[in-house]
């Protein structure tokens, strides 16, 4: 585990050192849980967004996009339930003055019981070797059974308290379980309070005339309030979807783990409108489609899993997260939710407008049900970084740091180097860049010796490098080097485009999904 934490720290500093992610307002020592994307980060982020956008809007002829404003009518957040219910239970430790989410403290405690059980199992497996029957061991070992019973009882109590919004109940669990603050080590806790995660500001020029508005905590509501506009103007027939990428803001209580939990972040959300009664079929279908999208990146199926929600949000009748294996455990990157007709019905009620769909096949009107897929761009970015980062031991004893980014997501696709800065080599190299830059992102680099230039490109995940040498001027060939295998081959300049373009295009990923 400690080793994994080290790796994570290295990834965070790599992100800064190579122009992927900087702390926001860095020269003023940063701003809590807000980050900026640098010259390489923005390219990677844009490619992730393109991959998602094209999957949604190119591969599905019944999904269209929108781009709604961040500021919205304040009543929207009343209707959606966010003003009353978008809360986290928070608790402070009086000694360390640190603030925690009460639910997370308890979830961590549940995870501790799981760890204890896993340790017993691992120990026994070692002791018994091939003869080990894990199922039998789990069903009969006294220590495992004791911990399992404690875990299950705690889990049950926790679910009941969360579902009932019982803040005293949550505090009592923390006391009974003797949960201590990880910083001070004490159990000197305040009461648990609800904390609304929405940021607010004022709109209007005069104090009297100004009204309180919110920075949207999700992009989804921008889609719901445009449902009628899009359905009518696009003459959309159910089932159909509306996709949107945009910023969202949440005043997170505990913002740790780099860009995993931010106060300003970006979401890619798609709301799919379906006939009532068909929503659970569509829910399963979208789970499948979204998992395929993730796995087409080639990070290995074993690094993903679904986690079904036990405490369903006030609007949902089914919900599941796509979790990815980060260096700090399996964590949510995407949520897939069956939101029923909750949002459209609420907006109909609060706006006084009829929000329905006339189904020509059934010759009747109804309020559509909704399946939502909601993924954080930044969390996706983090999972791509974590999976791609490697410190590789080479045969000659050296190490190289390499980002094995999927070529379609890499910020730069091709780096072109003249072997030396003279004899017309720089001009030839620039000629290649000038030709290929219309097809994919290229850079020209002449500083330092070739080995160093390769390392710099490895560190930002550039899949291909090309070197121009004196022979190039006579034979029209260059050396093409592959980032992952480090193999080099001599190829004709005029073949470069066809050798590279397909491999680095988003289309190459999308084709795996058809
Ligand atoms: P969590 O339980 O981690 O707070 P959530 O269940 O509240 O997340 P949703 O409301 O379902 O998250 O949001 C959908 C997606 O938006 C998440 O899967 C995640 O990728 C992203 N997301 C949510 N909150 C944040 C945040 N504070 N920073 C970065 N990404 C976020």
């Amino acid at each position: 585990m400690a080793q994994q934490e080290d790796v994570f720290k290295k990834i965070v500093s790599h992100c800064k050192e190579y122009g992927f992610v900087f702390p926001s307002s860095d020269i003023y020592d940063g701003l809590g849980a807000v980050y900026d994307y640098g010259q390489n980060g923005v390219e990677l982020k844009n490619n992730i967004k393109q991959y998602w956008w094209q999957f949604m809007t190119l591969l599905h002829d019944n999904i269209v996009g929108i781009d709604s404003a961040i500021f919205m009518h304040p009543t929207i957040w009343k209707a959606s339930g966010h003003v009353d219910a978008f809360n986290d239970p928070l608790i402070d430790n009086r000694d360390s003055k640190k603030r925690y989410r009460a639910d997370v403290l308890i979830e961590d405690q549940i995870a501790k019981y799981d760890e204890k059980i896993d340790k017993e199992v691992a120990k026994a497996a070692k002791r018994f070797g091939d003869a080990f029957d894990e199922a039998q061991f789990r069903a009969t070992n006294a220590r495992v059974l004791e911990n399992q019973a404690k875990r299950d009882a705690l889990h049950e109590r926790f679910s009941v308290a969360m579902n009932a919004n019982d803040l005293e109940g949550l505090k009592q669990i923390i006391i009974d379980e003797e949960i201590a603050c990880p910083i001070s080590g004490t159990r000197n806790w305040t009461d648990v309070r609800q904390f609304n995660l929405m940021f607010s500001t004022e709109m209007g020029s005069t104090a009297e005339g100004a009204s309180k508005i919110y920075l949207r905590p999700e992009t989804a509501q921008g889609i719901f309030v445009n449902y009628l506009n899009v359905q009518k103007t696009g003459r959309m027939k159910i089932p159909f979807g509306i996709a949107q990428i945009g910023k969202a803001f949440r005043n997170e209580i505990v913002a740790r783990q780099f860009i995993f939990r931010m106060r300003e972040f970006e979401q890619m959300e798609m709301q799919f409108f379906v006939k009532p009664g068909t929503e659970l079929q569509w829910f399963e279908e979208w789970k499948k489609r979204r998992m395929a999208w993730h796995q087409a990146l080639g990070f290995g199926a074993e690094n993903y899993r679904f986690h079904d929600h036990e405490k369903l949000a006030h609007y949902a009748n089914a919900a599941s997260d796509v979790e990815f294996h980060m260096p700090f455990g399996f964590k949510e990157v995407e949520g897939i939710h069956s939101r029923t007709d909750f949002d459209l019905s609420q907006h109909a009620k609060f706006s006084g407008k009829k929000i329905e769909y006339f189904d020509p096949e059934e010759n009747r009107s109804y309020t559509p049900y909704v399946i939502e897929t909601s993924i954080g761009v930044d969390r996706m970015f983090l999972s791509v970084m974590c999976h791609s980062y490697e410190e590789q031991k080479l045969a000659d004893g050296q190490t190289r740091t390499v980002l094995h980014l999927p070529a379609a997501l890499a910020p730069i696709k091709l780096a072109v180097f003249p072997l030396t800065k003279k004899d017309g080599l720089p001009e030839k190299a620039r000629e290649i860049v000038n030709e290929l830059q219309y097809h994919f992102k290229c850079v020209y680099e002449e500083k330092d010796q070739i080995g160093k230039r390769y390392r710099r490109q490895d560190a930002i995940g550039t899949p291909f490098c090309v070197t121009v040498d004196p022979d190039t001027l006579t034979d029209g060939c260059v050396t093409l080097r592959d980032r992952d295998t480090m193999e080099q081959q001599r190829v004709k300049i005029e073949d470069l485009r066809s050798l590279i373009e397909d491999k680095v295009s988003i289309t190459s990923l999308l084709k795996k999904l058809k």
Side-chain angles (χ1 to χ4, degrees), residues 86 93 182 218 223 314 350 362 411:
F86 195 51
N93 182 269
E218 61 174 31
I223 295 179
H314 55 276
F350 279 74
E362 302 217 342

Side-chain angles (χ1 to χ4, degrees), residues 254-359:
V254 185
R256 288 199 204 111
Q257 282 161 333
F258 192 42
I259 56 173
F260 183 79
R261 191 173 296 288
M262 303 156 90
R263 296 202 166 99
E264 172 178 339
F265 58 101
E266 208 164 353
Q267 288 186 313
M268 306 189 279
E269 296 197 299
M270 193 279 298
Q271 311 293 325
F272 199 71
F273 300 93
V274 304
K275 190 154 79 176
T278 64
E279 72 275 11
L280 292 180
Q281 259 159 278
W282 280 111
F283 174 69
E284 290 306 324
E285 177 61 27
W286 276 106
K287 276 174 71 174
K288 248 193 265 156
R289 289 189 196 176
R290 292 303 303 144
M291 189 54 105
W293 181 90
H294 284 279
Q295 294 192 358
L297 290 170
F299 296 162
E302 70 283 6
N303 287 312
Y304 299 89
R305 68 181 189 197
F306 282 116
H307 172 249
D308 296 330
H309 283 213
E310 287 166 42
K311 178 187 187 251
L312 294 177
H314 55 276
Y315 51 74
N317 72 353
S320 189
D321 297 335
V322 177
E323 294 187 337
F324 182 74
H325 195 191
M326 303 267 193
F328 42 92
F330 271 94
K331 296 286 166 191
E332 168 183 347
V333 284
E334 172 159 6
I336 299 160
H337 311 124
S338 173
R339 290 179 81 126
T340 68
D341 61 351
F342 176 81
D343 302 270
L344 292 183
S345 301
Q346 284 291 101
H347 289 306
K349 193 164 120 196
F350 279 74
S351 68
K353 306 277 187 319
K354 192 168 153 198
I355 307 181
E356 287 187 345
Y357 174 75
F358 177 73
D359 191 326

